[in-house]
Amino acid sequence: MFLNPTTNAFLCLIYFEAINPKHDNSNFVMALKANSWQKRLDRAFLDVDVKSGQARFRSFQRALQDPNLAKDVKRGVQAISDKGFGKGHPELIDALWPEGTIARSDIEGIQALTKSLPERIEEIQSSPLSVSSLQSVFSKLEAPDPAAVFSAASTRFFSDPNKVLKLSQNALRSNPSGIETLDYTLARKSTVEVNNDGNTTSVTFEIRNYPEFKRVSTPLSLGNDYTLENMGTALLELSSFLVLGNNVGKELSEMTSPFVMEESEMWIPLPRNFQSCPLETKDPLAIKTTPARTAAVLSFKGICTNPEIKRQTKILLDAVNEDLTISMSSSTVQVMQYNAPGTLPWRRKNEIAILVENVDVVDSTDESPVEDSVNTTAVGVEVRTLETSDEGVVEEFENIEKLENDVIMSSGTNETYSETAVENGSTADETSEK
């Protein structure tokens, strides 16, 4: 297959970034607007929530007509010309695919896979997935009532077909839509400089406050071992407890997120409607209460392997040690995975967390750039609000472009406010033409 020069250049950049990921972009900052040509290209080619082909084409047209397109390309090419490809390609990437775009997130996800994917392949080759272990799990599960499962599935589909469609599209999303997830309030974000293999890099992590909640957990047969066999058997037990009604009352529920590995257990949060009256479990599952906690959380892309978890744990520990305003309250490490099996591997969202204390809460009067804050309403629901000192940015979000997933979340799930318009096959680009 012969590719055009533009595609070849794009693939070369991704490959070079993957094998040479260590660079410092602290001196190159781009304020990405909601109606930037980069965001419009995202909506034209990469955003699964844009339903209308006409809207995608219009976004593509407007991106090509944006005068900043030529300016950004020129700036990136100039960086290559002045510094050479090795030192100049980070600026080129920041100019063409800045932070906050789906394209940049995909590049970073592919970069992460260059390490973790070979590790997964090696794991499978050295220790193939044991069919007997899965059979042992199935033998412990009672066969669900086919009529009840079919009836529940039919009811969900006909009562809200759009939600069913969203759930099926989660394989293409980094942030799953229509899934209840853990609540938290964002205390602040912290960026510190850490030494990584002789190179100084910037690490940004979040300080979050989690309220008390109930979870259903199961022991991990191999402890904190991030292999397919160990994670798969535990996830099967947990998902069948909710989705297939493998509980004492045989009640069916919807799956929640994330699934968390912690202290040789895997657990998922109970759905909101069962927080006050939990389902009764069968061995080896158990309902437990997690007290309110404060955690330092680091996000990363790709798949979870034992070496990858070690790398991310070291990064987070080093970052926490550099932040003098917090201290670890426990050495326990939590690994949270948000996506279902089958999700595009470079779009998988993972987080690693450790408990901390003595957190300084940011003064609300502090003038800072656009930043998300997450407000708790009920367990399993996130509501995000936008804080900014630039009213023009808010106006652009409200009147020009589609709201991004990390701006405002609707109550009940982590669905975006803007999906109301998208469900009808329209976007801000399309609406402005009417």
Side-chain angles (χ1 to χ4, degrees), residues 16 44 94 97 136 140 185 196 243 262 307 317 347 359 407-408 419 422:
F16 194 87
D94 280 332
W97 306 288
S136 66
K140 299 175 184 177
T185 56
N196 185 16
V243 179
E262 175 186 12
L317 290 176
R347 289 193 176 176
V359 179
V407 178
I408 300 179
E419 285 174 351
V422 178

Side-chain angles (χ1 to χ4, degrees), residues 179-346:
I179 303 292
E180 285 187 10
T181 187
L182 282 175
D183 281 338
Y184 63 85
T185 56
L186 179 63
R188 64 183 175 88
K189 294 182 180 180
S190 177
T191 300
V192 296
E193 301 292 325
V194 299
N195 187 287
N196 185 16
D197 296 332
N199 294 278
T200 301
T201 58
S202 295
V203 176
T204 299
F205 62 95
E206 295 183 349
I207 308 297
R208 300 177 183 173
N209 296 319
Y210 289 90
E212 179 181 287
F213 62 91
K214 288 183 174 62
R215 70 184 194 267
V216 56
S217 65
T218 185
L220 290 162
S221 58
L222 300 178
N224 291 331
D225 186 41
Y226 298 90
T227 58
L228 287 179
E229 180 175 348
N230 195 39
M231 294 188 293
T233 53
L235 184 58
L236 178 60
E237 290 179 331
L238 293 172
S239 59
S240 64
F241 171 80
L242 292 179
V243 179
L244 299 181
N246 274 294
N247 48 72
V248 173
K250 295 186 178 181
E251 296 189 60
L252 301 176
S253 181
E254 295 185 359
M255 194 62 180
T256 59
S257 176
F259 56 97
V260 183
M261 292 179 65
E262 175 186 12
E263 295 186 316
S264 299
E265 285 187 341
M266 178 182 284
W267 58 264
I268 55 176
L270 278 178
R272 182 177 56 156
N273 57 322
F274 290 113
Q275 283 288 324
S276 59
C277 185
L279 298 169
E280 190 173 348
T281 61
K282 302 176 183 179
D283 289 337
L285 275 64
I287 301 295
K288 298 183 179 181
T289 299
T290 301
R293 55 176 64 183
T294 299
V297 183
L298 176 69
S299 298
F300 64 98
K301 296 284 188 179
I303 57 179
C304 293
T305 62
N306 286 318
E308 180 67 12
I309 298 303
K310 289 180 180 178
R311 287 190 291 267
Q312 297 299 330
T313 300
K314 182 181 184 303
I315 292 173
L316 179 58
L317 290 176
D318 289 346
V320 169
N321 289 333
E322 289 294 328
D323 190 328
L324 301 181
T325 66
I326 57 176
S327 62
M328 291 175 51
S329 60
S330 172
S331 59
T332 300
V333 174
Q334 296 178 342
V335 176
M336 298 178 278
Q337 302 181 62
Y338 287 82
N339 307 94
T343 302
L344 293 177
W346 58 88

